[in-house]
Amino acid sequence: MKPRPLTVVLIVPTGVGASIGGFAGDALPVARAIAQISDTLITHPNVLNGAQLYWPIPNALYVEGYALDKFAAGCWGLQPVHQNRIGLIMDCAIEPELQLRHLQAVDASRATLGLNITDCILTDRPLQVELRTSESGASWGTIGNPDSLLRAAEKLITQAKVQAIAVVARFPDDVGSLALENYRHGKGVDPLAGAEAVISHLIVRTFKIPCAHAPALSALPLDPHLSPRSAAEEIGYTFLPCVLAGLSKAPQFTTQKAQEDSQLSITADRVDAVVIPATACGGSAILSLSGRSSVQIIAVGDNKTQMQVPPEKLGIKALQVNSYLEAIGVLVALRSGITPASLGADISSLRCLSDSTKQI
Amino acid sequence: MDRQMTTHFISAEVDLRDTAEELHSAIEIELQKHGEPLRWAVTDVDVDRQKALVEGYVLVEASPVTA
């Protein structure tokens, strides 16, 4: 009999200042390591995208955040694919030279990686992205013309029959701001991340197909003190290659009826464990998955965030560990059928239920 | 797709519930008063007042103006 495959969800929420994964693809080593001991790793663009850099992980599913929430809630399944046909939306506010840089990044991805990127479209109005920071310290943003974004997506889907959509929106350059300076030095919150999530969530929610976003920005002046965690975004003209690579094999989303028809579709009842920063347990996906008794939630202490929501404050049962190295040890134990607590020095006494003590 | 849409940031307080699943439902219901929830998270918990502090953004679709 085949053993149950180990399915792990790795979440590093975007735009909340995660000390690991809050910058430019800097949770990718964690994803690579966890994928080694999982049969299936389900994670999201914020973890896997490193601008020009990415790493193809054969057993990882690249799932946009809105879809991940729907998956965790049991509404959508994930259907693995061999390859998606990708369409590109570009914000018409992007300057012609910067547009050309992005189109050349697409051509490079087609020529060197063999990706199936077939069509591109300019939005009919500027998307007008504005950046904001919330009271909690999380970044977010507004899109001035969300309907223009959705019109472009609809054309790609109906006319070009694309199966996944990459979006490049012109973001404010914000040069000289304290938030950008901190980000480049490996501190603070990614000021762009929250607005990026709004863009991809809009498309995924409306059309139920994979989508990811790359911001278009002017090149920054050279900074000799750039943090290694942020450096992936300063080695080229665009952040698009990782998005295209991720979307190329991103799973399609299935609804309840289609899930019943397809044995390939992965649903929330397949999840064995979720790995999350310990202070960021208040997201939709964690709240949904915590209701499943078969899911082990692993809360990682040294991935600090701006959030103040450890699992115990919400009554979520979680195994708290200090580091991702320790989390990986827990996953190895789970896979082996070993209770993680039995690997420690102290093993607690057996608990006796109250109505049975008289008989013992 | 000739709709007028806007995205709005919402912060709200929601009473803590017995289970995380019940809290999830309560948050969605609270945000739906303002539009369709796109993304949200509990950002802090006031244990004394038994409140979850929630931040999120919603999509609001205005009805098309007809002549």
Side-chain angles (χ1 to χ4, degrees):
Chain A
M1 185 184 288
K2 277 178 71 175
R4 176 185 166 98
L6 186 75
T7 303
V8 179
V9 176
L10 170 64
I11 298 175
V12 182
T14 191
V16 299
S19 51
I20 301 167
F23 299 90
D26 57 315
L28 190 42
V30 176
R32 289 183 61 196
I34 291 179
Q36 279 294 312
I37 47 130
S38 312
D39 291 292
T40 303
L41 171 66
I42 298 168
T43 189
H44 53 111
N46 185 55
V47 170
L48 296 175
N49 286 352
Q52 304 272 332
L53 299 179
Y54 54 89
W55 192 272
I57 305 174
N59 59 333
L61 297 177
Y62 180 89
V63 182
E64 195 274 341
Y66 183 88
L68 192 55
D69 288 347
K70 288 288 180 189
F71 165 77
C75 303
W76 294 3
L78 306 174
Q79 177 89 33
V81 301
H82 292 299
Q83 187 183 51
N84 286 314
R85 178 183 171 99
I86 302 171
L88 175 71
I89 296 174
M90 279 205 293
D91 184 352
C92 69
I94 302 171
E95 302 86 326
E97 202 171 283
L98 198 50
Q99 282 184 26
L100 194 53
R101 292 286 187 196
H102 284 86
L103 291 174
Q104 289 175 348
V106 170
D107 280 343
S109 303
R110 295 164 65 211
T112 64
L113 305 179
L115 304 188
N116 188 18
I117 310 161
T118 56
D119 298 85
C120 72
I121 185 169
L122 274 180
T123 58
D124 53 21
R125 296 168 71 188
L127 294 180
Q128 293 178 342
V129 176
E130 292 186 15
L131 308 181
R132 300 268 195 278
T133 302
S134 74
E135 202 170 305
S136 71
S139 69
W140 67 286
T142 56
I143 313 301
N145 289 310
D147 36 349
S148 178
L149 176 71
L150 296 181
R151 276 195 296 274
E154 189 173 41
K155 272 190 187 169
L156 281 176
I157 294 164
T158 57
Q159 294 180 22
K161 310 289 182 202
V162 303
Q163 298 156 313
I165 293 179
V167 183
V168 182
R170 185 63 166 102
F171 269 49
D173 283 323
D174 223 14
V175 178
S177 75
L178 183 62
L180 178 61
E181 193 179 321
N182 281 338
Y183 178 76
R184 296 181 83 191
H185 295 161
K187 295 181 284 189
V189 177
D190 180 351
L192 312 184
E196 291 195 86
V198 178
I199 292 171
S200 58
H201 285 22
L202 270 169
I203 290 183
V204 173
R205 165 255 177 204
T206 308
F207 299 106
K208 297 182 179 62
I209 68 168
C211 174
H213 174 266
L217 295 160
S218 303
L220 290 167
L222 199 59
D223 181 348
H225 305 296
L226 189 66
S227 165
R229 293 197 175 279
S230 307
E233 290 175 357
E234 303 207 16
I235 55 175
Y237 299 103
T238 86
F239 302 176
L240 191 53
C242 62
V243 164
L244 298 172
L247 287 175
S248 177
K249 284 187 79 78
Q252 292 291 318
F253 310 130
T254 55
T255 55
Q256 201 69 42
K257 174 72 178 77
Q259 287 166 31
E260 288 163 10
D261 295 345
S262 171
Q263 293 186 336
L264 289 176
S265 186
I266 296 171
T267 50
D269 57 4
R270 280 268 304 272
V271 175
D272 296 294
V274 187
V275 183
I276 181 91
T279 54
C281 290
S284 174
I286 290 295
L287 264 57
S288 294
L289 289 170
S290 69
R292 294 179 179 272
S293 58
S294 58
V295 175
Q296 174 67 65
I297 294 175
I298 303 169
V300 179
D302 71 2
N303 194 1
K304 310 285 188 208
T305 76
Q306 295 282 318
M307 303 291 100
Q308 307 290 331
V309 189
E312 64 274 11
K313 278 193 178 177
L314 295 178
I316 293 172
K317 286 182 184 161
L319 187 58
Q320 301 232 25
V321 299
N322 292 316
S323 66
Y324 283 109
L325 278 173
E326 208 177 321
I328 289 163
V330 170
L331 291 170
V332 170
L334 289 177
R335 185 179 188 111
S336 312
I338 296 168
T339 301
S342 67
L343 298 175
D346 299 318
I347 297 178
S348 61
S349 302
L350 197 63
R351 190 177 52 177
C352 292
L353 298 181
S354 56
D355 57 349
S356 65
T357 50
K358 290 174 192 165
Q359 299 164 23
I360 297 173
Chain B
M1 192 166 291
D2 296 321
R3 301 178 290 210
Q4 282 296 312
M5 296 180 177
T6 46
T7 51
H8 295 271
F9 178 79
I10 305 289
S11 54
E13 286 190 344
V14 177
D15 291 336
L16 289 179
R17 307 296 162 120
D18 290 338
T19 68
E21 281 173 301
E22 287 174 30
L23 179 61
H24 187 288
S25 300
I27 292 168
E28 294 251 323
I29 289 167
E30 179 61 31
L31 293 179
Q32 277 163 4
K33 293 175 186 169
H34 306 276
E36 190 186 332
L38 280 177
R39 185 186 191 220
W40 55 262
V42 179
T43 59
D44 204 349
V45 176
D46 187 329
V47 177
D48 293 338
R49 294 170 54 232
Q50 287 291 290
K51 297 276 187 189
L53 312 181
V54 179
E55 292 180 354
Y57 46 82
V58 298
L59 182 68
V60 177
E61 292 185 49
S63 304
V65 178
T66 51

